[in-house]
Amino acid sequence: MKKLVLFSFRKVAKNAAKTHLSPQANRKRIAQDILILAIFVFTVFIVRFSWIIVTDSSNDVKLSTRAKANYSETTTIYAKRGTIFDRNGTPIATDSSDYSIYVILDTTYVSGEDKKLYAAPKVFPVIAQLFKEKLGIDEKYTLEQLQRKGASQVEFGTAGKHISFTKKEEIENAAKEKGLAGIGFTSHLARSYPNGNFASNFIGLAGLKDGDDDTKGLVGQFGLEASLNGILSGKNGVETLEKDKNGQALQGVAKSVTPAKDGQDVYTTIEGNLQGYLETLVDTTGIKDAGAQNVVATLVKANTGEILATTQRPTFNPATQTVIGPKDDKKSDKENLFGQNNLLYQAAYEPGSTFKLFTVAAGIETKTFNPNASYVSSPLEVADTIVSDWDVKDFPDGRGMNFAQGFAHSSNVGMSKLQIAMGDKSWDDYLKRFRFGVPTRMGVGGESFGNLPDENVVSQVNSSFGQGIGVTEVQMLRGYTAFANGGKMLEPHFISKIADIDAGTERVSQPEIVGKPIEKSTADDVLKYMVNVGTDPTFGTAYDWKNNQPYFRVDGKDVSIKTGTAQVAKTTGGYYDGTTSYLYSAVAMVPSENPDFIFYMTVTLPEHWTLSYISDVANPLLERAYELKSTIDETSMATTNNENVKEAKVTLKDYKGENPGSTLDQLRQQILQPVVVGSGSVITKQSVEAGTKLGANARVLLLTNGDVDMPDIYDWSKEDVETLAKWTGITVTYNGSETGKVTEQSIKMNSSLKKGQKLTVTLN
């Protein structure tokens, strides 16, 4: 613009010089030129201003935004991530702050009193020593950072991040004592885990979504923090602050454009005292010296399916993100940590003899198990394989025993004979009744399916004693609930309630019955036979022959127990060899009649072994559970019968066309009770229309595009049965009451359904 104006004036002067006019005529001519120039310049300015008004920009800068910033400021209102609590309301995971450390090197950074606020080179070694002492940062690395040419401020990588408030104060106090300047901290959003290692793999971790960018908030990385991220995450709001001409915020005129929506709080079923005690027991009993590849231990409330405590090794301390237990020394702690599986539900394994409960139950139901019938446990030839008992070296020709004693003795030969007698079809039926090969879909996501045995005779027989079949810990616990509850099988669950503080509402969970695979008499008989495992001094595998007493003792109560020793498959094929190259396990239910608690523990590939490694955890934990039983029962009652809670309703989505597995997880996270009908991979119909508002624990049937076999409809409502009839074309006759829940069905579970087939159900 300057050149344009100067050019015009030069042009006028040049033209005037050429004309050779009189001074008066020259002045007149110059006045005319100046007028024309003024009009031109004014036109240019008008066009420019019009362009700015229309485009609201200059040199790619948004002018209205820049102007607005002079009189107002828009800031983000960060939503609070929901807190994870134990069943008693004690926080397990909460929002907090952590810090990253930096050092100022800019020599112009001084106070008004000319006091140095930067770190001078002469104190670099002192700073390096301090960081080594407090943060474990290598001194050489610290000095390299501090001596970077041209840097006005330096940071210290991952080692200088995620510093706790306590550690920050320690460093600040130490720096003050040493007279060090220039050390500062930047605050970041963080997740706090105040209990340290506390069901760490189950609870998981949450961290900043994008490095150190707080504006994107926290996100679950694994565990419940990840699977429940949609529930725990809130939604940020926006606030506008009006400012005066000096840029100062005007008091009382701030306005919230969009309020923040905090995440919902999740109350787990975990009992904090028992969880802490379990962690201590695993760390302080002989199991710490066993040198095992992994350990998993879980306690469940038998009559509700609530997971009261669960832990594993290897695990980690979420506060420091350091690994506890076995790890790969060639990898960093972070790599080891994020390489860990949740062994409760993400790892499938061959369970061994703790699976024999299901074999005996199927034998009782099919009338092939006679507890008093005798046999000799000599090695059994099955096709091209020999099945033998664990004590075959001591008794190469076997021992004489009856089948009840064979169960107590964990006889593979006895279980094989049972499986052969009942046949593959019946055995497969009961495996499916107990839902092996099917994830629980309790809402965690990422569950392993496990696998049913292959259809060849060897695999079928081997599965009767827990080899050649893949299960997860939580699948085993689901199956065990059937024995503890008179044949009624419960879905294990970990959510006690979900609370929306903003709305003042809660969704509260109740036990979920997922079928009745066996009769009550069968369940009671198996529990009775399990007592002998710990008390029979001749055949009981849980009897301590050295000290002449049961391994498992809980305050004088009868304990139903089953031990297990399973071969462990290699990833490269075959099984590990060695004296202790096994998966050792035990399940204990206390008391043996109407059990209150189920404890299940596995120890894989220890360097040395004794059953006391498990009983020394189980016995004190179960005794502590009985000390807390009244409180546990009260919190369960509050969970199921609190009439003062304002219940939140959820609006059911349209799940047609969706994958049934992921849908089950989503619905259970909303504390609903979904059931898949059919074997297809796509949902085609749902029993409750999309858009319906549902309270907690409502059952939702989901029809898939696959073949439909008869489901286990125990505990279904009449309305549920009518929906099934409509979908499959069967006709239904009802016995018993007009309402109530299904207690008997004439078509057995797993039977093929045909249109027009007649079903009789009993409602009670």
Side-chain angles (χ1 to χ4, degrees), residues 429-715:
D429 176 47
Y430 277 91
L431 292 176
K432 290 178 179 177
R433 283 171 176 257
F434 283 105
R435 301 198 177 193
F436 288 110
V438 178
T440 66
R441 299 293 186 184
M442 62 179 177
V444 289
E447 279 188 77
S448 173
F449 279 67
N451 59 275
L452 294 174
D454 294 337
E455 294 182 356
N456 64 75
V457 63
V458 173
S459 294
Q460 292 288 320
V461 168
N462 285 349
S463 65
S464 70
F465 50 87
Q467 299 282 175
I469 184 170
V471 302
T472 64
E473 302 259 345
V474 75
Q475 286 174 353
M476 292 288 280
L477 287 164
R478 175 176 60 186
Y480 291 148
T481 63
F483 298 95
N485 291 285
K488 294 181 291 186
M489 190 164 66
L490 305 179
E491 200 73 87
H493 69 278
F494 61 89
I495 299 176
S496 174
K497 66 180 178 181
I498 297 174
D500 188 329
I501 302 301
D502 289 346
T505 59
E506 293 179 347
R507 290 179 67 77
V508 183
S509 68
Q510 294 180 359
E512 179 182 356
I513 299 173
V514 292
K516 190 179 181 185
I518 54 176
E519 295 298 321
K520 183 179 186 305
S521 59
T522 300
D524 292 344
D525 284 347
V526 173
L527 290 174
K528 179 179 65 178
Y529 299 136
M530 289 173 70
V531 173
N532 295 334
V533 175
T535 59
D536 188 329
T538 303
F539 293 103
T541 57
Y543 189 82
D544 185 351
W545 297 303
K546 181 178 179 181
N547 296 303
N548 197 31
Q549 63 182 4
Y551 273 104
F552 294 85
R553 305 178 303 280
V554 183
D555 195 25
K557 296 177 174 63
D558 286 338
V559 181
S560 291
I561 183 77
K562 184 70 191 78
T563 61
T565 305
Q567 289 182 291
V568 179
K570 295 180 180 179
T571 56
T572 55
Y575 291 95
Y576 285 96
D577 293 322
T579 307
T580 60
S581 296
Y582 298 96
L583 180 145
Y584 298 94
S585 62
V587 56
M589 303 188 206
V590 190
S592 60
E593 292 186 15
N594 301 317
D596 298 309
F597 302 106
I598 304 170
F599 176 79
Y600 181 49
M601 183 168 173
T602 61
V603 180
T604 305
L605 300 176
E607 293 176 359
H608 48 87
W609 175 249
T610 168
L611 186 57
S612 63
Y613 288 168
I614 294 181
S615 63
D616 286 351
V617 175
N619 293 342
L621 182 69
L622 288 165
E623 288 181 356
R624 179 69 61 85
Y626 273 103
E627 292 173 4
L628 299 170
K629 184 176 181 300
S630 59
T631 302
I632 294 171
D633 288 342
E634 285 174 10
T635 50
S636 287
M637 291 299 292
T639 296
T640 56
N641 296 314
N642 192 340
E643 297 178 356
N644 298 319
V645 173
K646 181 182 177 183
E647 185 177 44
K649 303 285 186 180
V650 296
T651 303
L652 196 69
K653 297 179 182 178
D654 185 351
Y655 291 103
K656 292 189 286 293
E658 299 293 326
N659 174 271
S662 58
T663 300
L664 289 177
D665 276 324
Q666 292 175 40
L667 293 175
R668 286 216 168 87
Q669 289 171 4
Q670 297 174 25
I671 312 185
L672 294 171
Q673 298 184 0
V675 178
V676 170
V677 178
S679 59
S681 59
V682 176
I683 296 170
T684 58
K685 295 181 181 179
Q686 56 193 66
S687 62
V688 181
E689 291 185 5
T692 304
K693 294 185 180 298
L694 292 176
N697 307 295
R699 182 177 283 112
V700 179
L701 306 184
L702 304 168
L703 181 66
T704 68
N705 59 346
D707 295 333
V708 178
D709 291 338
M710 183 67 198
D712 186 340
I713 61 174
Y714 185 86
D715 198 55

Side-chain angles (χ1 to χ4, degrees), residues 369-380:
F369 176 82
N370 180 349
N372 300 314
S374 298
Y375 72 99
V376 176
S377 62
S378 55
L380 179 68

